[in-house]
């Protein structure tokens, strides 16, 4: 015992001397453990940045984590949803700030651009928002706490089949998650004897839905299936109503990204009755969620948390618990501490699959209803413990 504490003491002295002489930023073991959180705080995906930032701040304020006497510090950087900027910021956070983990990643291209840095520097990278299946395969250091589009798109296709919807058109954002959603939704429709009569795509940047909605009208399917990234739902719903599609008897079904809790309450009656599948609703009935929603609203002027917030809240939890398990070590030790975590999230029970490093979670079927004067995604069916069906290995 005595010997141990003596060597500890000597070690601290050496570190102090090292700092004084060389002027190198050698991390002493009282320095804070830093986490680099890269988010789109400005630009088209800024609602995602705002939600995740608020959720991470809430977790930190509720838990004040310290590990072996070291504080945990979150450094927030704005990438404006530009992948080149994400990669540059990640590089700086690793090299200059010596972060133990990278986190955030509002869109798939940002996550993909950063994955090689995670691999080269052996820095765990927690994806809190982006949801293309392949992201976890881009680096062995990626852990995901959001969801995947294949995970949520199959369930809504199953619901459609059970509800006698046979002829559909799909409309997705033309990049990773949209292509995943289109493929997994369409394949399951066809498997169930349905027909996909057209597959439409809109650009990620500055989409205009009017031309594709005209095509949908002309094709007259029984239902239109939609995936759009968080933040585009309100504009889409407005144009859907303006084109009279809600009155034309074309049923709207989607992933929950479209009836995003961040915007849903402002969408108006056009959203009523829209059926979606997703992993989180602010209306989810559990004590853990009620507590989360109340605390989140209280800390953020009444803002309602959406699925991005929950990805952030669970993501920072996974990092902090991982650091506890690794006793503050980063790299492989932190990665090991994050794998296999099983806990109750505001969304329901979740598991960080040790093999795939992806999240296993319940997927709910929900319908937009008015609850106490506000629009909500009301869950009415659930598929338990869904793994990402997009994994090839
Ligand atoms: C992505 C997927 C982004 C789902 C989203 O919102 C979303 C992505 C910004 O992987 O880029 O709702």
């Amino acid at each position: 015992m005595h010997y141990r504490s003596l060597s500890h003491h000597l070690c601290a002295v050496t570190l102090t001397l090292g700092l004084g002489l060389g002027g190198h930023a050698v991390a002493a073991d009282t320095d804070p453990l830093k986490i680099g959180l890269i988010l789109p705080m400005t630009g088209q995906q800024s609602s995602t940045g705002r939600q995740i930032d608020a959720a991470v701040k809430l977790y930190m304020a509720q838990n004040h984590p310290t590990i072996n006497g070291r504080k945990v510090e979150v450094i927030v950087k704005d990438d404006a949803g530009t992948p080149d900027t994400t990669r540059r910021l990640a590089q700086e956070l690793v090299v200059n700030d010596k972060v133990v983990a990278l986190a955030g990643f509002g869109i798939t291209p940002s996550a993909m651009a950063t994955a090689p840095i995670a691999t080269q520097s052996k820095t765990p990278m927690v994806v809190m928002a982006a949801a293309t299946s392949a992201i976890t395969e881009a680096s062995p250091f990626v852990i995901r706490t959001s969801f995947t589009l294949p995970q949520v798109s199959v369930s809504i296709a199953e619901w459609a089949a059970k509800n006698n919807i046979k002829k559909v058109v799909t409309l997705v954002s033309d990049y990773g998650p949209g292509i995943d959603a289109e493929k997994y939704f369409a394949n399951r429709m066809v498997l169930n004897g349905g027909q996909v009569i057209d597959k439409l795509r809109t650009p990620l940047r500055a989409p205009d839905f009017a031309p594709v909605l005209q095509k949908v009208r002309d094709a007259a399917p029984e239902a239109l299936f939609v995936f759009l990234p968080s933040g585009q739902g309100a504009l889409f719903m407005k144009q859907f109503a303006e084109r009279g599609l809600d009155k034309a008897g074309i049923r709207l079904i989607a992933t929950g990204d479209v009836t995003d809790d961040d915007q849903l309450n402002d969408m108006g009656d056009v959203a009523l009755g829209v059926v979606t599948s997703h992993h989180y609703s602010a209306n989810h009935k559990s004590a853990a969620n009620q507590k989360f929603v109340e605390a989140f609203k209280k800390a953020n002027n009444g803002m309602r948390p959406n699925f991005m917030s929950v990805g952030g809240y669970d993501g920072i939890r996974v990092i902090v618990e991982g650091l506890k398990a690794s006793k503050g070590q980063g790299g492989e030790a932190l990665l090991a501490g994050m794998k296999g975590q099983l806990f109750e999230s505001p969304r329901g029970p979740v598991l960080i699959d040790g093999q795939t490093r992806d999240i296993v979670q319940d997927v709910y079927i929900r319908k937009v209803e008015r609850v106490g004067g506000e629009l909500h995604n009301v869950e009415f069916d659930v598929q338990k413990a869904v793994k990402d069906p997009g994994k090839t290995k």
Side-chain angles (χ1 to χ4, degrees), residues 45 48 106-109 129-132 135 147 149 175 177 227-231 257 307-308:
Q45 270 77 44
T48 292
I107 51 172
T108 289
T132 301
I135 293 172
F147 70 110
L149 266 305
Y175 76 119
F227 161 79
L228 295 169
S230 183
D257 310 70
F307 61 99
M308 293 300 187

Side-chain angles (χ1 to χ4, degrees), residues 26-269:
V26 176
D29 56 11
T30 52
D31 283 356
L33 290 160
K34 294 179 189 161
I35 297 164
L37 180 61
I38 312 175
L39 294 170
M41 298 305 296
T42 54
Q44 196 178 267
Q45 270 77 44
S46 63
S47 67
T48 292
R50 172 166 43 80
Q51 286 271 349
I52 295 178
D53 181 46
V56 170
K57 288 202 164 81
L58 177 65
Y59 179 90
M60 295 300 285
Q62 287 173 332
N63 294 280
H64 297 289
T66 55
I67 286 119
N68 288 3
R70 298 175 71 179
K71 280 204 178 118
V72 177
E73 186 182 304
V74 177
I75 305 173
V76 182
K77 298 280 181 189
D78 176 17
D79 68 2
T82 309
D84 286 345
T85 310
T86 320
R87 183 176 37 219
R88 176 177 57 74
L89 292 171
Q91 185 85 37
E92 288 170 10
L93 285 162
V94 167
V95 175
N96 302 340
D97 297 293
K98 312 252 179 306
V99 296
V100 285
L102 292 163
F105 310 104
I107 51 172
T108 289
S110 290
M112 286 304 203
T114 308
I117 294 174
T119 305
Q120 284 153 23
S121 65
K122 298 189 187 298
T123 308
M125 163 177 163
V126 176
V127 176
M128 296 168 159
T132 301
S133 177
I135 293 172
T136 45
E137 290 164 331
S139 167
F141 284 87
V142 171
I143 295 266
R144 174 156 37 203
T145 59
S146 52
F147 70 110
T148 79
L149 266 305
Q151 197 173 39
V152 299
S153 301
V154 169
S155 299
I156 189 71
E158 285 293 325
W159 180 86
K162 277 187 216 130
N163 287 271
N164 217 23
I165 293 171
K166 295 217 149 44
K167 217 170 74 166
V168 299
V169 169
T170 59
L171 167 58
V172 301
S173 193
D174 192 8
Y175 76 119
I179 292 159
D180 271 359
E182 178 189 276
K183 180 174 157 194
Y184 281 83
F185 176 83
N187 285 354
R188 187 55 63 101
M189 278 303 292
V190 170
L191 197 73
N192 285 326
Q195 228 188 319
V196 182
I197 57 175
D198 207 353
K199 294 178 179 173
L200 304 168
R201 295 180 184 179
T202 50
L204 169 61
R205 309 284 171 199
D208 175 11
F209 302 112
V212 283
L213 287 173
Q214 190 55 50
K215 282 193 185 166
V216 175
R217 241 202 123 126
D218 296 343
E222 289 158 9
L224 170 65
F225 165 77
V226 183
F227 161 79
L228 295 169
S230 183
Q232 295 190 3
L235 176 67
F236 171 79
M237 287 300 227
K238 187 167 167 277
Q239 296 194 350
F240 188 82
E242 278 168 7
R243 296 259 134 190
L245 267 85
D246 54 334
K247 309 259 162 21
I250 298 168
R251 185 133 200 203
L252 181 60
I253 58 178
T255 65
D257 310 70
V258 177
T259 57
D260 183 345
D261 272 305
D262 190 73
Q263 299 184 320
L264 177 61
N265 203 29
D266 299 321
M267 287 183 191
D269 287 359

Side-chain angles (χ1 to χ4, degrees), residues 358-378:
D358 222 327
I359 190 159
V360 180
Q361 58 191 332
D362 295 353
V363 174
Y364 307 88
I365 307 293
R366 315 95 51 84
K367 186 190 233 167
V368 178
E369 289 175 16
R370 207 177 288 286
V371 182
E374 292 192 5
L375 295 182
H376 272 284
N377 292 298
V378 178

